[in-house]
Amino acid sequence: MTVSPLHGMTRNVRRHPLVFLALSTHALFNVLCLIWLLSTSLKGSAEIMATSPWAPPETPLWQNYADAWSIGQMGTYLLNSVVVTTISTAAVLILGSLSGYVFARVAFPGRNLLKAVFMAAMMIPPFALVVPLFDALSWASLLNTRTGLILVYVAMQLPLTTFILTSFHQTLPLELEESAAIEGASASQTFRRIVLPLTGPALTACGVVNVLHIWNEFIYALTFVQDDSVYTLAVGIFRLNQLADYSSNWAILFAGMVISVLPVLIVFAFFQRKFSSGIAQGALKF
């Protein structure tokens, strides 16, 4: 009987009560936060200030979501986040998969030096890159554009994705690629038809991690974009917070937060099993 890495990891966690207790507490805390956020988003602003944070709404106000969508421009911000996150994640996975395969299988002069550069790029704090990236985007006339944000996110996420996929490619049996070469498959055919399907769990795990990071990224989106029509959801929530400070309309802010959280929850719920499997396999093979 074959035991999957995910089942093995779950069994190991259950053997350690303190780890199981810590993970359960963390999960319960996150669930309670989501319930509180959803409940508060259905209250009026006066009710939010007058009642207990855990009190359910007296009468659910679904109009808060319509106001957040129209007054708070959450529709525009949501579309920008979807476009930026989707294109950035797709580009990172394509480039990371190709570079990871080359690093794992092709011996070329300067490979170790180039890998060291990728590793060093992961150590640089994001705040240290704000000024040089701002100058670069300004020089290329890409400030206040979705293209500029996409290029920045691809550059920031590519080193980690390449590192993970390089390690995963190194664990794949070389005999499969040698057999394909003997059958007459070219290098590109071997990569597309044999290697790429085998890296599915690792690609899914990297994809979910990239989506979470890019969707919630705030500093670069706030610094490199000053146009309302290009703001992402993270900056949109910040603007809603400022609007709530001035108008005391806290209901719109909480409704906007729910709108920003829901797409990520749906993506994670859809890929949860594959994500866990990819993390478990990757953890076992590193």
Side-chain angles (χ1 to χ4, degrees), residues 162-203:
T162 298
F163 172 72
I164 294 174
L165 292 178
T166 299
S167 301
F168 198 88
H169 281 302
Q170 288 172 338
T171 65
L172 298 179
L174 190 58
E175 290 77 10
L176 292 175
E177 298 165 53
E178 292 175 343
S179 300
I182 293 174
E183 294 294 330
S186 63
S188 62
Q189 289 174 327
T190 302
F191 178 77
R192 286 187 287 107
R193 297 180 179 180
I194 297 177
V195 175
L196 209 52
L198 292 174
T199 58
L203 285 174

Side-chain angles (χ1 to χ4, degrees), residues 68-122:
W69 192 267
S70 57
I71 300 175
Q73 302 183 57
M74 294 304 291
T76 302
Y77 303 150
L78 177 65
L79 176 62
N80 290 332
S81 284
V82 169
V83 171
V84 169
T85 303
T86 302
I87 296 178
S88 301
T89 302
V92 168
L93 292 182
I94 293 172
L95 295 175
S97 185
L98 290 171
S99 56
Y101 181 67
V102 170
F103 278 137
R105 289 291 191 253
V106 181
F108 58 89
R111 182 178 67 170
N112 291 332
L113 175 61
L114 194 56
K115 287 175 69 175
V117 171
F118 271 70
M119 290 283 293
M122 292 190 295

Side-chain angles (χ1 to χ4, degrees), residues 20-284:
F20 185 75
L21 178 63
L23 293 177
S24 300
T25 303
H26 182 70
L28 179 63
F29 175 77
N30 283 281
V31 169
L32 290 176
C33 286
L34 288 175
I35 293 174
W36 171 75
L37 179 62
L38 180 61
S39 171
T40 307
S41 71
L42 295 174
K43 297 179 179 178
S45 296
E47 186 181 354
I48 292 174
M49 304 301 294
T51 60
S52 166
W54 294 105
E58 295 175 359
T59 303
L61 298 177
W62 299 101
Q63 181 63 32
N64 293 338
Y65 288 91
D67 291 343
W69 192 267
S70 57
I71 300 175
Q73 302 183 57
M74 294 304 291
T76 302
Y77 303 150
L78 177 65
L79 176 62
N80 290 332
S81 284
V82 169
V83 171
V84 169
T85 303
T86 302
I87 296 178
S88 301
T89 302
V92 168
L93 292 182
I94 293 172
L95 295 175
S97 185
L98 290 171
S99 56
Y101 181 67
V102 170
F103 278 137
R105 289 291 191 253
V106 181
F108 58 89
R111 182 178 67 170
N112 291 332
L113 175 61
L114 194 56
K115 287 175 69 175
V117 171
F118 271 70
M119 290 283 293
M122 292 190 295
M123 311 299 174
I124 302 175
F127 291 103
L129 298 175
V130 171
V131 174
L133 284 175
F134 186 92
D135 288 340
L137 292 178
S138 178
W139 174 81
S141 301
L142 290 174
L143 287 176
N144 296 320
T145 65
R146 288 193 288 258
T147 304
L149 276 183
I150 290 170
L151 291 176
V152 169
Y153 291 150
V154 171
M156 294 301 298
Q157 295 300 109
L158 187 58
L160 177 61
T161 303
T162 298
F163 172 72
I164 294 174
L165 292 178
T166 299
S167 301
F168 198 88
H169 281 302
Q170 288 172 338
T171 65
L172 298 179
L174 190 58
E175 290 77 10
L176 292 175
E177 298 165 53
E178 292 175 343
S179 300
I182 293 174
E183 294 294 330
S186 63
S188 62
Q189 289 174 327
T190 302
F191 178 77
R192 286 187 287 107
R193 297 180 179 180
I194 297 177
V195 175
L196 209 52
L198 292 174
T199 58
L203 285 174
T204 302
C206 290
V208 172
V209 170
N210 280 305
V211 165
L212 293 177
H213 182 86
I214 296 171
W215 188 270
N216 294 317
E217 201 285 324
F218 174 71
I219 297 299
Y220 291 155
L222 179 66
T223 307
F224 302 150
V225 175
Q226 286 86 42
D227 187 343
D228 269 1
S229 64
V230 192
Y231 280 154
T232 59
L233 272 174
V235 182
I237 294 298
F238 175 70
R239 295 294 303 273
L240 277 182
N241 186 41
Q242 291 181 317
L243 180 66
D245 280 339
Y246 292 122
S247 64
S248 299
N249 193 348
W250 298 101
I252 289 184
L253 173 62
F254 284 97
M257 292 169 67
V258 172
I259 292 174
S260 72
V261 167
L262 275 181
V264 178
L265 289 178
I266 293 172
V267 169
F268 190 78
F270 189 75
F271 291 104
Q272 184 268 337
R273 184 170 293 277
K274 292 184 178 179
F275 174 75
S276 301
S277 175
I279 291 294
Q281 291 184 29
L284 291 177

